[in-house]
C-alpha cells in the first residue's frame, strides 16, 4: 500500500488482483448477488485509490478494505431494502483445487455457508464470515466492525454458531 500511496499504478493493480476475489465473496455474503457484489467491490477499490493518502499502516490493508466494503454493503442494503435471498449459482470459485471432487465439495460447503449466513442478523453474519471464511483474527474483526474483541468473541461463539448449525474453525 505504501507504493500505491506514492502513486505506483502497477502496485495498485497488484493490490486489486490480490484481494479482489475475497473482497467480492465478502460483499456477496451481504448483498447475495454476485454482480452487485462486484460493483460494490469495484467502487471500494476506487475509493481506496482516490483516498490512498488517508490510509494508515497501523491497520492491515485487509482490515481497511473490508471495513470499506462492509460499510458500502450496509449502505446498499439500506438504500435498496434488498432481500437476503442467496442464489447458489452465484457462488464464486475462490481456490485452486485440482480435482473435480474437491471443487464440488468446496462449492457445496460454500453454498451451505452462504445459506446459513443469509439467515443471521447482520452483526453475526459479518463476524462469522470474517472469522470462519476470511480467516481474520478477533482483533481485526473488532477493528472492522468497530467493536471490542470480547464483543466479537461473543458474536463468533460456538453457542451462536450452533443455533444456526454453522461450523466455525477452532
Amino acid at each position: 500500500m505504501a507504493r500505491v500511496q506514492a502513486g505506483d499504478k502497477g502496485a495498485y493493480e497488484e493490490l486489486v488482483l490480490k484481494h479482489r476475489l475475497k473482497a467480492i465473496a465478502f460483499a456477496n455474503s451481504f448483498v447475495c448477488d454476485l454482480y452487485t457484489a462486484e460493483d460494490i467491490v469495484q467502487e471500494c477499490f476506487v475509493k481506496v485509490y482516490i483516498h490512498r493518502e488517508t490510509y494508515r499502516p497501523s491497520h492491515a490493508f485487509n482490515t481497511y478494505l473490508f471495513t470499506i466494503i462492509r460499510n458500502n454493503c450496509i449502505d446498499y442494503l439500506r438504500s435498496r431494502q434488498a432481500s437476503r435471498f442467496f442464489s447458489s449459482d452465484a457462488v464464486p470459485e475462490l481456490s485452486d483445487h485440482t480435482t473435480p471432487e474437491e471443487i464440488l465439495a468446496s462449492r457445496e460447503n460454500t453454498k451451505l455457508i452462504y445459506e446459513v449466513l443469509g439467515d443471521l442478523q447482520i452483526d453475526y453474519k459479518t463476524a462469522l464470515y470474517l472469522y470462519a471464511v476470511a480467516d481474520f483474527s478477533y482483533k481485526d474483526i473488532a477493528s472492522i466492525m468497530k467493536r471490542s474483541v470480547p464483543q466479537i468473541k461473543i458474536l463468533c461463539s460456538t453457542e451462536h454458531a450452533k443455533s444456526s448449525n454453522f461450523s466455525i474453525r477452532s
Side-chain angles (χ1 to χ4, degrees):
M1 188 60 188
R3 290 177 32 215
V4 174
Q5 286 180 310
D8 184 344
K9 291 183 180 179
Y12 174 72
E13 289 177 19
E14 289 174 27
L15 197 69
V16 170
L17 290 174
K18 180 179 179 182
H19 298 282
R20 183 178 174 274
L21 291 178
K22 287 183 181 181
I24 290 170
F26 179 60
N28 192 43
S29 75
F30 283 94
V31 298
C32 302
D33 179 278
L34 189 57
Y35 298 110
T36 301
E38 288 174 342
D39 289 344
I40 289 171
V41 168
Q42 184 175 1
E43 289 174 22
C44 291
F45 275 115
V46 168
K47 286 181 181 182
V48 165
Y49 188 78
I50 290 171
H51 302 290
R52 63 188 178 273
E53 301 86 25
T54 64
Y55 171 74
R56 300 291 174 248
S58 59
H59 290 85
F61 178 74
N62 276 345
T63 303
Y64 178 69
L65 177 63
F66 276 56
T67 300
I68 295 169
I69 293 168
R70 178 181 183 268
N71 293 338
N72 280 20
C73 287
I74 290 171
D75 289 346
Y76 171 82
L77 292 173
R78 283 181 184 151
S79 69
R80 297 291 193 284
Q81 302 279 324
S83 70
R84 290 190 172 89
F85 174 75
F86 174 74
S87 168
S88 61
D89 298 334
V91 176
E93 185 61 45
L94 299 176
S95 58
D96 298 326
H97 292 292
T98 56
T99 67
E101 293 83 14
E102 290 173 328
I103 292 171
L104 181 61
S106 175
R107 285 183 182 164
E108 288 175 359
N109 188 36
T110 302
K111 178 182 173 184
L112 177 63
I113 289 170
Y114 277 101
E115 287 172 354
V116 171
L117 284 174
D119 293 336
L120 297 175
Q121 293 176 358
I122 198 147
D123 284 342
Y124 292 108
K125 178 190 295 192
T126 303
L128 285 171
Y129 181 89
L130 290 172
Y131 183 75
V133 179
D135 204 29
F136 277 84
S137 69
Y138 288 132
K139 182 180 176 185
D140 289 340
I141 297 168
S143 178
I144 290 169
M145 295 182 66
K146 295 180 175 62
R147 300 278 183 103
S148 68
V149 171
Q151 288 174 318
I152 297 305
K153 286 182 179 181
I154 290 169
L155 289 173
C156 291
S157 74
T158 54
E159 288 304 312
H160 291 97
K162 285 178 189 173
S163 68
S164 300
N165 296 320
F166 189 78
S167 172
I168 60 174
R169 61 185 167 90
S170 49

